[in-house]
Amino acid sequence: ALMLKLAEESKVERVEALWTKMKRSWEEGNVSLRPDFQSQTIRLRAWSDAGNPTMATAVLREMISLSASGVLNRKPGTNEFNLVLSAWLRSDQPDAAEKAESGLKQMMQLSATGQFDCAPNQSSHNIVIKACIKANDDCTARSILKQLKKQKDRDLGSTYKAMI
């Protein structure tokens, strides 16, 4: 509850400090502080909302590692990967659009191999399109839209709105 409250108040450094204390205590044997998927998602969302893709990516990687070792009861999926894409969109880094597009491609690859249930959804594409437009990369944004048009059963209304 405290971690969520801190995240909602945009106190991301305090969220991370609390996580560090919890993790250390768990590693020292306090099984009641075992990392769970919800706390990791709160951390991930906090860094995403702060526009810090480096930390959001680090948390996602930690979630992948914790799930692989059996600590977390499930693997990160599309929603968690989208939080990293959103962090790139919110960041002011000059290569943010390229990194978001790379993340989208990585989601496609990981999903295709069956490693993760992270197939990009409409939100994934919209986030990357917005990042491209923010970076004045209309060509890539149009290319992503063109790819989406080739897929059947897609409602592109929200994607068109993202491009406006």
Side-chain angles (χ1 to χ4, degrees):
L2 177 59
M3 187 179 282
L4 181 59
K5 182 174 176 15
L6 292 170
E8 288 171 349
E9 295 173 355
S10 300
K11 296 179 179 176
V12 68
E13 289 84 8
R14 291 188 60 197
V15 168
E16 199 62 25
L18 179 59
W19 158 246
T20 301
K21 286 180 184 180
M22 290 170 60
K23 183 178 179 190
R24 188 177 314 119
S25 183
W26 171 69
E27 289 170 342
E28 292 171 354
N30 187 342
V31 293
S32 66
L33 292 176
R34 178 184 172 134
D36 64 7
F37 197 83
Q38 182 181 9
S39 65
Q40 297 311 298
T41 303
I42 290 169
R43 286 178 64 218
L44 179 55
R45 184 174 304 284
W47 286 114
S48 177
D49 290 348
N52 188 324
T54 302
M55 285 303 298
T57 301
V59 173
L60 180 64
R61 285 186 179 140
E62 188 170 11
M63 290 175 78
I64 290 168
S65 175
L66 289 170
S67 65
S69 67
V71 173
L72 295 183
N73 60 354
R74 64 183 244 223
K75 294 179 181 180
T78 302
N79 292 334
E80 291 73 35
F81 280 82
N82 280 353
L83 287 170
V84 174
L85 298 180
S86 292
W88 284 112
L89 171 61
R90 290 181 179 107
S91 86
D92 291 327
Q93 295 186 23
D95 61 347
E98 293 169 23
K99 296 287 189 172
E101 183 186 11
S102 174
L104 183 70
K105 289 177 182 175
Q106 185 177 29
M107 288 172 71
M108 291 177 197
Q109 292 168 348
L110 289 171
S111 175
T113 65
Q115 276 184 285
F116 292 91
D117 184 16
C118 64
N121 59 17
Q122 195 74 34
S123 293
S124 312
H125 291 91
N126 290 351
I127 293 164
V128 176
I129 286 171
K130 286 178 185 178
C132 291
I133 290 170
K134 181 179 173 184
N136 294 317
D137 185 357
D138 297 342
C139 185
T140 302
R142 282 194 300 274
S143 173
I144 294 169
L145 177 62
K146 193 174 187 178
Q147 291 170 17
L148 284 175
K149 284 181 178 179
K150 291 178 184 177
Q151 298 176 11
K152 297 183 190 246
D153 301 324
R154 287 268 188 180
D155 177 12
L156 298 177
S158 65
T159 303
Y160 287 124
K161 287 179 187 173
M163 295 189 75
I164 295 176

